[in-house]
Amino acid sequence: HVQLVESGGGSVQAGESLRLSCEVSGFTYSPYYMGWFRQAPGKEREGLAAIDTTGSATYTHSVAGRFTISRDNAKDTLYLQMNNLTVEDTAIYYCAADVVNFQLAQSYTNWGQGTQVTVS
């Protein structure tokens, strides 16, 4: 049973930073690929960043240069460092994992429950 648990969300002021974490357990297949997504109120869920097993990352335009995705394979943990946050970054943030490299597509099989980020 695969489980993804996000943490690190919260309420911050515009211009501040947050780091999200996503701990993965029960993933018996290796390697696996991971991504971060978010859903703002009244909007579709969008892909933000994805990382492959070598650490190569892909970003959507709106977060490139401000957000950094990384992973610690020894700890089975995915991270998203978010800098210079704006009110437009307010959303529920989700991590996802799969054995297929879906990058920013919504096709991942395994999803976390989400963590709220509020920027004011």
Side-chain angles (χ1 to χ4, degrees):
H1 174 65
V2 178
Q3 189 171 16
L4 284 69
V5 179
E6 300 98 337
S7 61
S11 297
V12 296
Q13 299 288 318
E16 294 184 342
S17 300
L18 276 176
R19 188 173 86 151
L20 304 182
S21 299
C22 172
E23 295 186 28
V24 182
S25 61
F27 215 112
T28 58
Y29 298 99
S30 179
Y32 59 90
Y33 303 87
M34 301 197 71
W36 283 102
F37 296 77
R38 70 184 178 191
Q39 187 166 22
K43 295 187 177 181
E44 300 276 324
R45 188 169 60 188
E46 63 171 332
L48 303 178
I51 189 167
D52 69 13
T53 56
T54 69
S56 179
T58 300
Y59 298 93
T60 193
H61 178 73
S62 63
V63 306
R66 298 190 300 125
F67 291 11
T68 302
I69 188 172
S70 62
R71 63 190 294 172
D72 185 333
N73 292 328
K75 296 181 179 179
D76 287 321
T77 302
L78 178 73
Y79 303 99
L80 185 68
Q81 177 67 42
M82 306 187 294
N83 297 329
N84 194 22
L85 286 161
T86 73
V87 293
E88 287 75 29
D89 294 315
T90 294
I92 299 174
Y93 284 69
Y94 300 90
C95 61
D98 207 292
V99 295
V100 177
N101 190 6
F102 289 116
Q103 296 197 324
L104 300 181
Q106 303 278 343
S107 305
Y108 289 79
T109 302
N110 306 288
W111 293 83
Q113 82 290 347
T115 186
Q116 176 71 48
V117 172
T118 302
V119 186
S120 59

